[in-house]
Amino acid sequence: FGKADIAAISGGVLTIKFSTGTVNELAGDVKCDLQFSTVKLVVDNDVKSLLMNTSYTTTYLDLDKSFSANYVINTSHGSFKNETSFPIKDEKGEDKGYGLRFSNKYTGTSGGGSTKVTINSSFGSVIAGHDMKVDMTEKRKNKQTTRVI
């Protein structure tokens, strides 16, 4: 139940649970485990591979406009929103669009596709964009209780 503003991570495993976090620079091979959180990751060509597993998390991927990557994004009971100039599209496969789909797969390539980006999100949302301005301040809900006498 905290907040982190991390300047840089060079390789390794990033775990954020029940918190709000920002990572301003990723490099090397990075694995992320994000749960019950709101996280912003700034990604550029210093990243060699990115594997993210998220649950009940809103993830903002701030991708450099020159980022070269191959994307595979899987959502289960969640969403993906592409606000980048990169062609990351929904891959419907055999499903002809009839009825509800709770699992979706999005694929695409930017630049030469040299970095492998794999995201698996359950019950969360992933938003990809460029130069993202995200308000990471915690918003508390005012809980008012009423009593009937």
Side-chain angles (χ1 to χ4, degrees), residues 16-60:
I16 298 176
K17 297 180 181 181
F18 301 99
S19 300
T20 301
T22 301
V23 180
N24 294 303
E25 182 182 343
L26 292 175
D29 297 309
V30 179
K31 293 181 182 179
C32 300
D33 179 21
L34 312 173
Q35 298 178 18
F36 299 94
S37 301
T38 302
V39 179
K40 178 183 175 189
L41 303 174
V42 179
V43 182
D44 64 17
N45 284 314
D46 291 333
V47 175
K48 302 301 174 217
S49 69
L50 178 62
L51 171 61
M52 290 178 42
N53 293 307
T54 72
S55 297
Y56 299 94
T57 297
T58 300
T59 307
Y60 298 93

Side-chain angles (χ1 to χ4, degrees), residues 55-77:
S55 297
Y56 299 94
T57 297
T58 300
T59 307
Y60 298 93
L61 282 178
D62 192 346
L63 303 171
D64 189 275
K65 291 178 183 174
S66 66
F67 187 49
S68 173
N70 183 23
Y71 305 90
V72 176
I73 301 165
N74 299 296
T75 62
S76 175
H77 299 279

Side-chain angles (χ1 to χ4, degrees), residues 89-115:
K89 306 233 185 270
D90 190 355
E91 185 180 278
K92 292 185 180 174
E94 295 293 316
D95 186 359
K96 305 230 184 313
Y98 303 112
L100 294 175
R101 289 188 316 141
F102 297 108
S103 296
N104 295 290
K105 182 176 184 178
Y106 303 86
T107 58
T109 303
S110 61
S114 60
T115 301

